[in-house]
Amino acid sequence: MPPALGSQTIGRFAFISGLGFGGATTLLCNLTAELSRRQIPVMVASLERENPFATHFEAHGVPTSLQDQRTKIFEDRLAITLDTVAAFHPSAVIACLGETSYEVLRYVPPGAKRVAMVQADHAIFYDAIIPYAGLIDVAIGVSERICHTLAALPEFAGKSIHCLTSGVALPEQIVTREFPPEQPLRILYLGRLEQGQKRVHLFPHILNRLIQSEIPFIWTIAGEGKELGMLQREMKTSRADQQIRFAGHVNYQDVPALMVEHDVFLLASDAEGLPMSLMEAMSHGMIPVVSDLPSGIRQAIEPRNGIMVPPENVAGYADAILWLHGNRDEMRKMATYSQEKIRREFSVIAMTDKWVSVLTSSTQPQWSQGWLIRAPLRAAHPLYFTPALRPLRRIVLRWTSRWGAQ
């Protein structure tokens, strides 16, 4: 039997999401680990094979189901995922990231809560969720601005919308950060290396301004993505006290140690919700230099604990770092306030309490197996997904995957 909250059953939760490296997966790691610790049945399913956080899910007893997009057509991956979810008998299904996860909601039986998340304040995220509005019982935004935007959409009129900000696991011991003036500033970027949302193509411009300032610094870029090669080519220095380091992929369990070793957390995005990496950095006393976005960032950052830069002011990111270099005492105060704010408002315990209050349900939906899989709701060419073409598509995919492996 599921654990109970007073006289009310909490339920069983199935999360559907892509599990690539990024804040959405980090949120799931923290949330599902805490649900599991509370002995609330939880599982995670993905229609894709990537799972860089596999060891974290396993360590916390969170079962995951992955499907390989290289060897299975979409309809087969969806059907297998639905079978796995149905066998788990969840009382709530939470679609976390985009249209692929929202597709699962089309097959959820009556009685189970159908929940969909919006992870960032950007048009592409709203465009993705709008067609599925009629299937959604509860919409969740990770920032107040996202929730206000959803509430203003006619498709979501009368819908239950909740702002559930992300939460992070707190360091076991809060350490007072020191920023001695004789030490180079240690800057960290941690995330996807892409031109889109994350705007890493701005980094060479920021670097040039830092080089011209002649301040000593160490800038670590941690993460993977298609812009890695460009950054490695263009981000070079000639002075020993001005260094660029590429850390590549960082295992989630190694992130705290990486943050303790750095002073400034840099984020030059043009769209965000409330980044998990930002809150983790703040919990370790790092000073944020981030884009001033009307999203969840403004819920976490204020002049007392970080510097927000207008996204169009590219030089402003470097200027903020230069100001921090010359104001080490202020950095110490900002670090202390950041740590206190995260502990008070953005811990994983506080986050999970809010999620449980929204998802708790005493219903026991009847799940069955055997699915009439349809073309994706937003398929550009629905005929491509007709049952008659599926055998041919399976053969083609099997051959292409074999040739790709050679």
Side-chain angles (χ1 to χ4, degrees):
M1 292 292 292
L5 180 64
S7 60
Q8 193 176 33
T9 300
I10 293 178
R12 304 170 64 86
F13 308 146
F15 292 85
I16 317 297
S17 182
L19 298 176
F21 183 77
T25 307
T26 306
L27 186 157
L28 267 188
C29 285
N30 290 338
L31 176 58
T32 58
E34 178 63 16
L35 289 170
S36 180
R37 189 191 68 80
R38 299 183 188 193
Q39 298 185 317
I40 298 172
V42 59
M43 69 161 291
V44 175
S46 174
L47 275 74
E48 300 167 356
R49 63 185 291 270
E50 290 76 19
N51 188 11
F53 298 88
T55 55
H56 185 274
F57 287 119
E58 182 178 352
H60 291 87
V62 178
T64 57
S65 169
L66 309 176
Q67 302 304 317
D68 193 339
Q69 68 272 29
R70 301 172 306 172
T71 59
K72 298 185 183 74
I73 64 172
F74 171 79
E75 297 94 319
D76 292 344
R77 289 184 282 128
L78 179 57
I80 296 171
T81 298
L82 288 168
D83 283 343
T84 304
V85 171
F88 182 73
H89 285 86
S91 58
V93 177
I94 305 94
C96 300
L97 195 62
E99 295 173 37
T100 301
S101 63
Y102 300 155
E103 276 293 312
V104 173
L105 299 181
R106 300 174 69 188
Y107 304 89
V108 173
K113 279 189 177 180
R114 299 169 298 179
V115 184
M117 290 187 69
V118 176
Q119 299 273 3
D121 180 38
H122 192 283
I124 61 174
F125 292 89
Y126 300 119
D127 290 343
I129 197 172
I130 285 173
Y132 297 88
L135 302 167
I136 296 169
D137 301 312
V138 177
I140 291 173
V142 299
S143 74
E144 292 177 355
R145 180 178 174 87
I146 290 173
C147 292
H148 292 156
T149 302
L150 287 174
L153 296 172
E155 293 85 355
F156 283 85
K159 291 284 184 182
S160 178
I161 301 173
H162 296 267
C163 178
L164 300 182
T165 55
S166 304
V168 296
L170 298 173
E172 293 184 4
Q173 184 176 6
I174 299 297
V175 178
T176 301
R177 294 295 301 267
E178 298 291 340
F179 306 97
E182 67 275 9
Q183 177 179 285
L185 270 190
R186 299 168 299 175
I187 306 159
L188 174 66
Y189 171 80
L190 173 65
R192 299 188 305 277
L193 303 182
E194 61 178 34
Q195 280 199 34
Q197 179 189 357
K198 300 300 182 180
R199 301 203 307 170
V200 301
H201 62 284
L202 300 180
F203 288 179
H205 303 284
I206 298 170
L207 174 63
N208 288 337
R209 195 168 180 87
L210 293 179
I211 290 174
Q212 292 169 8
S213 74
E214 299 188 349
I215 70 164
F217 64 85
I218 299 170
W219 184 351
T220 300
I221 297 174
E224 298 176 322
K226 61 183 180 181
E227 298 304 323
L228 175 60
M230 178 275 292
L231 294 174
Q232 290 175 326
R233 288 191 305 272
E234 297 193 18
M235 297 190 68
K236 296 180 179 179
T237 62
S238 58
R239 290 175 40 163
D241 62 350
Q242 295 181 330
Q243 299 181 29
I244 300 294
R245 299 176 178 174
F246 291 92
H249 170 72
V250 178
N251 292 325
Y252 187 49
Q253 62 266 27
D254 297 328
V255 168
L258 184 69
M259 290 183 167
V260 168
E261 295 169 354
H262 290 80
D263 309 313
V264 178
F265 183 79
L266 177 64
L267 193 65
S269 307
D270 66 356
E272 290 286 355
L274 182 52
M276 294 289 295
S277 56
L278 168 62
M279 291 187 296
E280 288 174 329
M282 293 171 64
S283 74
H284 287 89
M286 294 184 69
I287 312 302
V289 173
V290 298
S291 298
D292 184 9
L293 301 173
S295 61
I297 285 180
R298 290 183 183 173
Q299 294 173 240
I301 305 298
E302 51 188 285
R304 292 177 63 180
N305 63 4
I307 301 177
M308 293 191 291
V309 179
E312 66 277 6
N313 181 14
V314 178
Y317 297 100
D319 292 343
I321 294 170
L322 295 177
W323 185 89
L324 292 173
H325 170 73
N327 292 272
R328 303 299 178 103
D329 289 340
E330 289 301 313
M331 288 182 68
R332 188 181 306 110
K333 297 175 185 176
M334 295 166 83
T336 299
Y337 187 76
S338 278
Q339 292 170 311
E340 292 173 351
K341 187 177 182 71
I342 295 300
R343 180 172 292 276
R344 185 174 61 249
E345 301 179 26
F346 297 105
S347 72
V348 70
I349 293 174
M351 170 183 68
T352 307
D353 287 343
K354 295 174 184 177
W355 274 88
V356 168
S357 69
V358 170
L359 297 182
T360 293
S361 173
S362 59
T363 62
Q364 296 183 352
Q366 296 299 309
W367 284 86
S368 60
Q369 294 192 341
W371 314 96
L372 180 61
I373 303 297
R374 294 159 282 175
L377 201 57
R378 295 188 66 190
H381 305 287
L383 292 177
Y384 177 78
F385 296 92
T386 57
L389 285 180
R390 291 173 190 172
L392 176 61
R393 288 171 50 217
R394 291 185 185 108
I395 293 172
V396 171
L397 186 60
R398 189 179 307 125
W399 276 101
T400 55
S401 63
R402 286 179 180 174
W403 279 106
Q406 293 180 0

